Amino acid sequence: MAKSRFEYVKQFERENFLLPQTYIVIRVDGKGFHKFSETYEFEKPNDARALAVMNKTARTMMLQFPDVLLAYGDSDEYSFLLRKDCDLFERREMKLVSTFASFMSVNYLMHWNDEFPNKPINSLRLPTFDARAVMYPNSDVVRDYFSWRQVDCHINNLYNTSFWGLIQKCALSPQDAENELKGTLAKDKNEILFSRCGINYNNEPEIYKKGTVLVREYENWTRGEAELSKLQKQRNEKMRKKAEIRQLHIDIINDDFWVQRPWLLT
Amino acid sequence: MAKSRFEYVKQFERENFLLPQTYIVIRVDGKGFHKFSETYEFEKPNDARALAVMNKTARTMMLQFPDVLLAYGDSDEYSFLLRKDCDLFERREMKLVSTFASFMSVNYLMHWNDEFPNKPINSLRLPTFDARAVMYPNSDVVRDYFSWRQVDCHINNLYNTSFWGLIQKCALSPQDAENELKGTLAKDKNEILFSRCGINYNNEPEIYKKGTVLVREYENWTRGEAELSKLQKQRNEKMRKKAEIRQLHIDIINDDFWVQRPWLLT
Amino acid sequence: MAKSRFEYVKQFERENFLLPQTYIVIRVDGKGFHKFSETYEFEKPNDARALAVMNKTARTMMLQFPDVLLAYGDSDEYSFLLRKDCDLFERREMKLVSTFASFMSVNYLMHWNDEFPNKPINSLRLPTFDARAVMYPNSDVVRDYFSWRQVDCHINNLYNTSFWGLIQKCALSPQDAENELKGTLAKDKNEILFSRCGINYNNEPEIYKKGTVLVREYENWTRGEAELSKLQKQRNEKMRKKAEIRQLHIDIINDDFWVQRPWLLT
Amino acid sequence: MAKSRFEYVKQFERENFLLPQTYIVIRVDGKGFHKFSETYEFEKPNDARALAVMNKTARTMMLQFPDVLLAYGDSDEYSFLLRKDCDLFERREMKLVSTFASFMSVNYLMHWNDEFPNKPINSLRLPTFDARAVMYPNSDVVRDYFSWRQVDCHINNLYNTSFWGLIQKCALSPQDAENELKGTLAKDKNEILFSRCGINYNNEPEIYKKGTVLVREYENWTRGEAELSKLQKQRNEKMRKKAEIRQLHIDIINDDFWVQRPWLLT
């Protein structure tokens, strides 16, 4: 097509190509979900249906983006791990984060009706997400990243369970509940929950305590992708697309999860 | 809250803060809209309802983001101009583009039903957008940016009108229509349209030829914001939020549009 | 030349192309010049010969880089203003800063002997510089940048003059001088200098109070470079290379300096 | 110190902090060394004294920057490998490259007189260098980087030896020599050298064929730095500073060099 004399403005565009051979984690985060959860009257401290919407959405994302090997989420956030050799959108940062935020939002909207058929989304309070991409250069720090998120899930859930326990079981005001918990350690919160609310935190559902792991499960995976022939790589690609995506609510801080799935970090 | 030993992974996060005192343009672009338009059977070469969805979506975005002074769109793309002093999300690039892509997508989905009540969106073909942010350091290059997009709209629309004219009015196959137009100049296409399809391009609707301009219209705007007191700035802020957003289908390459709206580029 | 299979490692290289049509300021800064000044026994608070080395070095840089329109320096730092349309090294950040730091260092070494013929540089204490490049999108902020540096020069010089005055004229220890000045305002320092050291700060040499300005002086400069023909641009280029570089020790915060030299900021 | 109202211009400064836990390679490259070598009449194809200046300069750099574990150079370039955990200048890109370019230049100037006592540097042709920093996320790609440079050294040296052989031994003009070599492969050049110039390339000095490796040699190095106590780390730090720096002219493409020095890539 003919080029106009205005074409030069493209020179102002900048691209950040994320470094090759690094793991990319894209984390999407709900915008204003505190108010969102109030508008749609989420149950406190956790709303099982809202989590189901998030988890279904993340699973759909994994079907749409076969480069995602693993996803971990809790509350209104999800982290997607892209394989190290991924070349999606040539690893362009803005393209990656804007696309993931866009897919997350519309998929969420589509899955909403499955779980909340009686609460249609109204246009003044829409589910929206921002996204960030982070490069991690080796497998150790990738594991530490996911440990960080799971510890964070635990810390938040213990606090929220205690906070709402005091309100719902002991009729404290939110202000009083907050004051009660100020400065308490994990063991104090466990004790408060047990003695004052009659809740044994250990018996709380794993999905609340551990968050949700979605992982591509390979059968017959073999090491040594580096030396694979082109044909084998295509076969692996296919395998990745077809791999079952499994939903788990388990510990991903210790070695077991990773040792059993060597394809995640090679 | 307690910090875990995994917290250090945050050190790998990077932010690109867009340079202060530059104009930011965020352009959102439909992903795979060629197939999208086939799935939902858009009329060719232009579908008035599909454009209405885009334009309503962009208007809603301007209500949601008062920093946007001007938006210009055609086909499946829209460019949003943020005012020079805008500090939205501290001008963080990933936050800006992921948020705009997210809002664009869900708003599009919400407005879809207004225009296509009989064609519900199916989850296998969702409307998604990517986004990019570009900094422009002065008003001349901002104007050239918008001229570039409007020229592009014109070039594409003239081609598409000719292409589909040949198919719809002269019963050419797509391949034959493409061959017919190969290497033609604008005046050739005008001639083909007129003599072979009976279409006078000049009489085509302005919305197709010029695209759509959405602009915040101020009354009583006064120059010299630089020296305004804090109070006056807050008043301006308020004014911006309340300003009528007008939809136009006019030339924005020549001076008139900009001269009449001095608040856009100061 | 034949390419090896290792060539791919170039894909890890990243370039930051500084935004077109912005003013670039490159500031070089002496590394460890506190110790450097002790090793070579600079006079305190200001050493006229050391400043002469800096100023000669900066002038040589301006001859080597005709894109530099203006340079301002004091103590062990210098700021170089590149013209807005400069395309030196395609505006690549690393290339710009590493080259300026390199030229600064070797030129300094070459000019050293002019001023300190009896103090040859020894290889254990070399004059080295780092450099940073900053983009400024408009002329107002460029002026504010240079105002910032000149104010900084003034603040430092007033402090140093007072500090060394107390030591040299009043025989205070460095620690006592520091305590004496703690929390004092500019007028207090002026008073201390006058009453205790017999120094009228106003009579101090301008080069110490104002720093050094090196500016390319054009004769017959005419506005409107934007619409110049190619031929005229080449003529301007030539003019720039031949323009006299003038050394001044004057105020660059107020309008006069800039109004008289309209070629600096257009 | 008092802050002026101009202080805000610092907000325009940007820093690129290179990603933690990646290997950083800083490559310095002589600026205009073709002309430089003519001015100072370097011997062709290789000048032993000029290489000695480069190698002494690089060694001095390694003494000044203990984070450099390995350096490789040939002709007018040198690559410095910084250890993975290096936090020099907080890994700020501009600071790293400008400082390395500065140190390289002044050290070169200082070492020049050792080798060229009769050819003092004149101020119209100074030795200057630019520098770039590249992040490499794992040890494989670091090795490939150094292989790339050593292959490049070999390719260039074979060409230059042939080119100057034809000129010096066969009295060809530079243009004829160039034509003679156009399109030739390595084995052709070997043959030309042998049959026409009487040069057996295999017998050429290793320093020309392999370039120069400077490596910090540790005695008693033990693995497992990750779990070292703070005290042990400080001991390692000390060991690094005291480690002998050895100069070699050997193959670094094959495994031997690296296997024997496990401290380089852990």
Side-chain angles (χ1 to χ4, degrees), chain B residues 5 14 17-19 21 60 90-91 98 105 123 152 174 188 206 230 246-247 264 266:
Chain B
R5 67 179 174 92
R14 294 288 173 271
F17 294 93
L18 299 179
L19 203 64
Q21 295 189 27
T60 301
E90 301 163 88
R91 303 174 80 89
S98 61
S105 310
S123 61
D152 203 64
D188 304 325
E206 292 302 303
K230 196 152 191 189
R246 225 165 123 202
Q247 178 167 327
L264 293 178
T266 45

Side-chain angles (χ1 to χ4, degrees), chain C residues 1-2 4 6-10 12-13 15 27 31 64 89 92-95 97-99 101-103 105-107 109-110 121-123 126-137 141 144-145 147-148 151 155-156 159 253, chain D residues 1-2 4 6-10 12-13 15 27 31 64 89 92-95 97-99 101-103 105-107 109-110 121-123 126-137 141 144-145 147-148 151 155-156 159 253:
Chain C
M1 299 252 171
S4 75
F6 304 117
E7 200 85 12
Y8 82 93
V9 297
K10 276 176 71 72
F12 291 77
E13 299 186 357
E15 292 290 354
R27 183 169 76 244
K31 293 188 77 69
Q64 289 159 337
F89 306 133
R92 284 182 284 163
E93 188 178 69
M94 286 194 277
K95 196 97 174 178
V97 298
S98 62
T99 301
S102 172
F103 273 79
S105 310
V106 289
N107 283 313
L109 210 44
M110 298 302 285
I121 288 288
N122 92 58
S123 62
L126 297 168
T128 55
F129 293 84
D130 60 35
R132 65 166 61 242
V134 188
M135 299 178 274
Y136 289 109
V141 68
D144 285 350
Y145 173 82
S147 296
W148 176 50
V151 167
I155 291 171
N156 290 333
Y159 182 89
I253 299 173
Chain D
M1 299 251 170
S4 74
F6 305 117
E7 200 85 11
Y8 81 94
V9 298
K10 276 176 71 72
F12 291 76
E13 300 187 358
E15 292 289 355
R27 183 168 75 244
K31 293 189 77 68
Q64 289 159 337
F89 307 134
R92 285 182 283 163
E93 188 178 69
M94 287 195 277
K95 197 97 174 177
V97 298
S98 61
T99 301
S102 172
F103 273 78
S105 310
V106 290
N107 283 314
L109 210 44
M110 297 302 285
I121 288 289
N122 92 56
S123 63
L126 297 168
T128 54
F129 293 83
D130 61 34
R132 67 166 59 241
V134 188
M135 297 178 274
Y136 289 110
V141 68
D144 285 350
Y145 173 81
S147 296
W148 175 50
V151 167
I155 292 171
N156 290 332
Y159 182 89
I253 299 174

Side-chain angles (χ1 to χ4, degrees), chain D residues 70 213 215 248 250-252 255-261 264:
Chain D
L70 172 70
V213 180
V215 61
L248 303 166
I250 60 170
D251 177 280
I252 56 173
D255 291 344
D256 280 8
F257 174 80
W258 304 93
V259 168
Q260 287 159 19
R261 294 167 184 84
L264 294 177

